[in-house]
Structure formats: C-alpha cells, structure tokens
C-alpha cells in the first residue's frame, strides 16, 4: 500500500489555520492532495489570504462553512477555545459523523466527544514543533469510534513526520512531556553547551556552530543506527578520556534523576490541564 493510499477521500476541513495547520496543509499538498479538497476556517484575514495565496486552498471565516461536507475535521484551535468551537459544530458533527482529529494539548477524547454531540470518532494527536519543517513526530490516540479510521489519521499526520500509535489515552500526557515539549529540552541543552563553550574561551559564533552541528550529527546517528542510545554513547566514551570525564560529571550531578523529574513534572502538568478543561 502506498503512503497516500489511506488518506481520506473528499474534503478535509482544518478548523484553525495557524502554524501547525499550515505545515500539515503544505505537507498534504506536496503529497498530491488537491488544494480544492482542503478547506480552512480561520478568523484572521491575513492568515486566510496567505493560505489561499501559498497553497490555493479554500478559506472561510466561519468554521461551519469549512466543515460542511468534509469527512475529516482537523481541529487546530487553541485549547482554551476548543470547547466553544466544538459546541458550535456539534449539530454538524452529529449529522456528518466526520473523523475529528485534535492537535490541542490537554483536551481529552472524552471531552471532544461530548462537545461534538456524542458518538464522535475522535483522534487525539500530539505533534511537535519540528513538524513545521516536516521533521516532527506525532503521538496518536483513537477512541473506539475512530479505531476503524486510524490509518486515515496516521496518513494525514505523516505529512509532517512519522507517527506513533498510543493505545492508552492516559499515556498521551507522557507523549506531550517527551516529544511535545522535548524540543525545548534540546534547545536548553544547546543553550547551556554554548555558554559553557564560551566560558572555555570559544567565541560565540564558534560555540554556536559547534553545538548546532554536534546536535544535528548526534540526532542523525540516532535515527540512522539500529543501536540504542546507550550503545552509541558508550562507543564514543573512551576509558579515561575527555568524554568520560564529562559523562561522569553529568552522572555525579544527578542528570538522569533530573531528566526523570522534568518529564514527570511535564506529564503531571498535562493531566492538570486536561482536568482544568472539564
């Protein structure tokens, strides 16, 4: 089966036309989805005009107009307005029975189902910001009604990077903590490495170039090698060498425990955000 074989047929409605929606639209168009099959609801005129100009998609200032006749709705609005938007579409959702895919953090499938009138086929998606460059990864959870259409959701999100199926919805908070928030952890490491390099006498430009390419190279090795991270780490850690000195310092400082606490804190915050939307 080709990568695009399970893409939904007919119109796809994007409710919200921000950065992540724009990335998905660009990815779908690049994979051969007709621009005429993509409908976007976006209240900001400048964003509508940019989407129409850049991709030739149909844009509306009203969500119900974009959703009319679409078999898939990609809900890409901010979490704090999701309830209001879904409520405005609930009658259409009951009538059309679309596959509803939400990329809003902290909004559960149960909440989306209730807000859309009940019986909705809902997929929760958690992409991350590298999706803006087509290099993201997305965790996907489907409720029972959406399970038969999971491949459609996965194929749509594949437009911005690979997907991972999550079987238990409670695990979506961990997905958010690991990959959704994860790019910020890498940026923090880059920031710290650059500052440390400068403290050792490197110029800001040299430190930045060295850190950027080092992180890119290490990430490339991780994605192209069948070996796990611990094997790759051991391979570049010669006994008694400079790398070992640094690794031992990280370990002595409680690096692993700190990362564990950080991921746990982000996971718990995700649960709190979900509860706050009840």
């Amino acid at each position: 089966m080709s990568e695009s074989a399970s893409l939904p047929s007919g119109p796809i409605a994007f409710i919200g036309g921000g950065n992540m929606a724009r990335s998905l639209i660009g990815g779908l168009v690049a994979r051969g989805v007709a621009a005429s099959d993509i409908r976007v609801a976006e209240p900001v005129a400048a964003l509508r005009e940019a989407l129409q100009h850049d991709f030739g998609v149909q844009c509306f200032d009203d969500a119900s107009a974009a959703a009319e006749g679409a078999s898939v709705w990609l809900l890409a609005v901010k979490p704090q307005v999701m309830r209001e938007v879904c409520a405005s579409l609930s009658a259409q959702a009951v009538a059309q029975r679309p596959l509803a895919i939400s990329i809003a953090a902290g909004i559960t499938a149960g909440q989306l189902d209730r807000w859309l009138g009940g019986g909705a086929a809902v997929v929760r998606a958690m992409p991350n910001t590298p999706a803006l460059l087509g290099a993201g990864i997305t965790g996907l959870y489907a409720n029972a009604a959406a399970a038969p259409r999971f491949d459609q959701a996965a194929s749509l999100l594949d437009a911005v990077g690979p997907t991972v199926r999550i079987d238990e919805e409670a695990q979506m908070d961990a997905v958010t903590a690991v990959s959704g928030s994860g790019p910020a952890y890498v940026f923090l490491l880059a920031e710290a490495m650059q500052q440390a390099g400068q403290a050792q006498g490197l110029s800001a430009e040299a430190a930045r170039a060295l850190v950027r390419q080092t992180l890119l190279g290490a990430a490339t090795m991780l994605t192209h090698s069948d070996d796990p991270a611990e094997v790759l780490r051991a391979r570049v850690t010669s006994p008694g060498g400079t790398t070992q000195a640094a690794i031992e310092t990280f370990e002595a400082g409680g690096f692993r425990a700190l990362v564990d606490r950080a991921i746990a804190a982000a996971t718990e915050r995700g649960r709190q955000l979900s509860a706050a939307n009840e």
Side-chain angles (χ1 to χ4, degrees):
M1 182 179 292
S2 69
E3 188 180 66
S4 61
S6 60
L7 278 169
S9 58
I12 301 169
F14 283 80
I15 311 302
N19 286 335
M20 195 64 72
R22 180 183 176 86
S23 297
L24 284 163
I25 291 165
L28 291 171
V29 170
R31 289 171 57 194
V33 174
S36 59
D37 281 339
I38 298 175
R39 304 158 65 88
V40 187
E42 171 51 56
V44 178
L47 293 179
R48 291 197 305 272
E49 292 166 6
L51 288 166
Q52 288 175 320
H53 176 270
D54 294 343
F55 303 112
V57 297
Q58 304 176 71
C59 291
F60 306 82
D61 61 4
D62 177 69
S64 61
E68 184 65 34
S71 62
V72 175
W73 297 357
L74 197 295
L75 304 172
V77 299
K78 295 183 184 301
Q80 57 265 36
V81 301
M82 182 65 80
R83 184 172 192 163
E84 178 185 353
V85 169
C86 287
S88 74
L89 294 169
S90 60
Q92 274 180 281
V94 171
Q96 293 179 213
R97 293 301 182 195
L99 173 63
I101 305 170
S102 167
I103 61 172
I107 305 293
T108 68
Q111 289 168 329
L112 292 162
D113 177 37
R114 290 198 306 273
W115 299 342
L116 290 170
V122 174
V123 171
R124 280 185 67 185
M126 177 45 61
N128 58 6
T129 53
L132 302 177
L133 301 176
I137 188 163
T138 304
L140 294 174
Y141 166 78
N143 70 0
R149 303 177 68 182
F150 180 85
D151 287 349
Q152 287 186 343
S155 187
L156 194 154
L157 271 299
D158 276 343
V160 292
T163 59
V164 176
R165 185 167 192 165
I166 305 300
D167 294 325
E168 300 292 334
E169 185 172 13
Q171 297 172 347
M172 287 297 288
D173 293 315
V175 171
T176 302
V178 172
S179 62
S181 301
Y185 314 155
V186 178
F187 301 149
L188 179 63
L189 175 62
E191 182 183 356
M193 289 175 66
Q194 287 170 207
Q195 290 173 345
Q198 289 177 245
Q200 296 303 315
L202 293 172
S203 69
E205 294 76 12
R208 184 168 183 262
L210 290 166
V211 169
R212 288 173 64 187
Q213 191 62 31
T214 297
L215 292 178
L216 174 62
T220 302
M221 291 181 72
L222 273 171
T223 55
H224 284 76
S225 174
D226 292 330
D227 293 324
E230 57 265 32
V231 170
L232 295 175
R233 174 186 54 77
R235 195 172 291 156
V236 296
T237 308
S238 302
T242 58
T243 307
Q244 183 176 355
I247 294 296
E248 288 178 349
T249 303
F250 277 128
E251 298 284 18
F255 181 77
R256 291 177 190 271
L258 182 60
V259 171
D260 183 72
R261 292 199 304 274
I263 298 294
T267 302
E268 177 58 28
R269 183 57 179 154
R271 296 187 184 119
Q272 293 170 356
L273 290 172
S274 294
N277 285 302
E278 286 292 354

